[in-house]
Amino acid sequence: MGNTLNFSGGPGALPVAVLNQARDAIVSLPETGISVLGMSHRSDWFLSILDEAEHNIRKLLDLPDRYALAFLQGGSSLLFATIPMNFATRSFAPPEYVSSGYWSSRASAEAGRVGPCRVAWSGQRTGFCDLPELDALDVAANAAYLHYVSNETVEGLQFAEPAREVRADVPPLIADMSSDFLSKPVAVERFGMIYAHAQKNLGPAGVTVVLIDRALLERIPEGLPSILDFRTQVTHRSNYNTPPVFAIYVLTLVTRWLLHDIGGLDAMQRVNEAKARRLYDTLDKLDDVVTVHAARPWRSRMNAAFTFGDERLDAAFIEAARERGIVGVEGHRSLGGLRASLYNAVTLDAVDTLAEALTEFGLQRA
């Protein structure tokens, strides 16, 4: 019950079918008779898992051949530094960043440690309650790239996908999609790079998926430490050093689930939209006692941040939810309040249970 009603912002819920397979694999993989935790990263079995994981992601996204795909370690936090190390070269103006919340602010701060960068837009003045139109931002045409976080998990904000296309007269668009990757279709060809760590929709922490336009790889300077050079990871097919075998295996199980059980990303998007609609309808009906952090046009379908307006009431709801088997609704430490994360594996039935708990609790305080 604790897993099926897990609304944590991360690590998030995993599909029950995937958990069952992962549990069995820890003892003995059906294909090898050996625990997945003891499988060599050089084994034919693991090489086949790498092949399948890449194939499944390419199929789910209809990924063009011009994009390289790699599985890295270190999460978004490492990529906040390695992206400017690889792409913010002296041949271009400083990279530009959208600072729309907690995680994008950390991304721009880390880039600033590597070299000059510019914040093209910041939502700090309004308390990170809204977002800009990406296509309308005033960005230098010769900037190394424009970086943004597609979904802010802390504040519950989500961008609409930009309409721009990759062209020589606009900077490449780089997106951290860690919390909404594979939750819906994406027009990948609009991006120079997409990256996403796993502990939201893809699997357990430990692996990060990167998709990079191969044209960007050509601008990487010589002299970077090998393990921080994206070309190294692409050339060695994510096996330069010992990769997180278990995390990549579970990610592969998740992609199988998306393809065969869910029916692809169009179907996943419909489910996620239904879940978000159910939750926000409930919160809006309680607007006398509940405040949603994000402005309505920018509400995230992955994370709803809200509060009953008093720390004691928020804490009381956390306890009331726990009595129903609901876990993970605490807000992020930087914002407080409450947060419900509706990642792919969270079911509509689970959201119904949460909505009922919110309604009962809210009406008692109206």
Side-chain angles (χ1 to χ4, degrees):
M1 181 67 77
N3 177 70
T4 57
L5 296 176
N6 178 9
F7 292 89
S8 171
L14 286 172
V16 173
V18 169
L19 284 174
N20 289 337
Q21 292 174 80
R23 175 198 60 201
D24 294 344
I26 288 175
V27 176
S28 175
L29 281 164
E31 304 96 321
T32 69
I34 299 173
S35 167
V36 65
L37 301 180
M39 284 301 301
S40 168
H41 61 293
R42 303 297 182 191
S43 66
D44 290 341
W45 173 84
F46 182 63
L47 296 181
S48 72
I49 288 294
L50 282 174
D51 286 341
E52 183 185 351
E54 176 169 348
H55 173 268
N56 290 352
I57 291 172
R58 287 188 178 277
K59 185 174 182 179
L60 284 163
L61 291 171
D62 193 21
L63 186 65
D65 290 340
R66 78 168 192 265
Y67 288 88
L69 188 154
F71 302 102
L72 309 184
Q73 301 181 61
S76 290
S77 294
L78 180 60
L79 283 168
F80 291 163
T82 52
I83 286 170
M85 290 172 66
N86 278 262
F87 299 137
T89 66
R90 295 179 180 179
S91 302
F92 299 90
E96 309 226 11
Y97 281 74
V98 177
S99 181
S100 56
Y102 179 87
W103 288 109
S104 55
S105 297
R106 286 190 55 169
S108 58
E110 196 68 10
R113 294 175 180 270
V114 176
C117 69
R118 174 179 176 266
V119 175
W121 184 90
S122 174
Q124 185 172 14
R125 182 178 59 83
T126 58
F128 296 118
C129 291
D130 58 356
L131 297 174
E133 295 285 351
L134 285 172
D135 295 320
L137 292 177
D138 182 16
V139 177
N142 64 336
Y145 55 82
L146 173 63
H147 178 282
Y148 79 108
V149 174
S150 61
N151 182 76
E152 292 282 7
T153 59
V154 174
E155 296 82 7
L157 296 161
Q158 188 172 29
F159 278 92
E161 192 168 307
R164 63 155 58 196
E165 296 181 2
V166 174
R167 305 194 311 268
D169 61 335
V170 297
L173 192 59
I174 296 181
D176 178 349
M177 293 190 179
S178 292
S179 51
D180 59 359
F181 188 63
L182 299 189
S183 70
K184 59 186 177 60
V186 175
V188 178
E189 65 275 7
R190 297 173 181 171
F191 296 86
M193 176 178 177
I194 292 171
Y195 63 100
H197 59 242
Q199 62 267 31
K200 311 296 185 185
N201 286 316
L202 302 180
V207 61
T208 302
V209 178
V210 297
L211 316 176
I212 308 176
D213 190 328
R214 296 181 194 276
L216 275 182
L217 295 175
E218 298 175 3
R219 69 162 66 169
I220 298 174
E222 298 299 327
L224 290 179
S226 296
I227 199 168
L228 303 180
D229 187 324
F230 292 146
R231 294 171 299 188
T232 301
Q233 304 294 345
V234 171
T235 300
H236 288 83
R237 299 204 61 246
S238 309
N239 218 337
Y240 174 69
N241 65 318
T242 306
V245 172
F246 179 69
I248 293 173
Y249 171 67
V250 177
L251 179 149
T252 306
L253 297 180
V254 170
T255 59
R256 290 178 191 172
W257 174 77
L258 282 168
L259 283 168
H260 305 304
D261 293 17
I262 299 299
L265 298 188
D266 287 319
M268 192 73 258
Q269 181 178 28
R270 289 192 292 272
V271 173
N272 286 331
E273 288 176 345
K275 293 186 300 189
R277 195 161 48 243
R278 175 73 168 101
L279 178 57
Y280 284 118
D281 284 350
T282 299
L283 295 173
D284 288 340
K285 289 176 182 176
L286 297 171
D287 62 356
D288 288 342
V289 292
V290 171
T291 300
V292 177
H293 180 81
R296 192 178 293 267
W298 305 109
R299 288 178 175 180
S300 168
R301 289 187 294 275
M302 292 285 99
N303 314 91
F306 58 97
T307 178
F308 281 97
D310 182 284
E311 290 184 5
R312 291 169 298 177
L313 288 177
D314 289 340
F317 176 73
I318 291 169
E319 184 57 35
R322 188 176 293 117
E323 291 175 0
R324 289 175 173 254
I326 297 168
V327 298
V329 292
E330 299 86 353
H332 189 270
R333 61 187 180 277
S334 67
L335 188 65
L338 300 162
R339 176 175 56 171
S341 297
L342 310 179
Y343 300 133
N344 285 354
V346 175
T347 66
L348 186 54
D349 285 344
V351 178
D352 283 339
T353 302
L354 175 61
E356 291 166 4
L358 283 165
T359 300
E360 179 180 317
F361 187 87
L363 291 177
Q364 290 173 357
R365 285 144 185 86

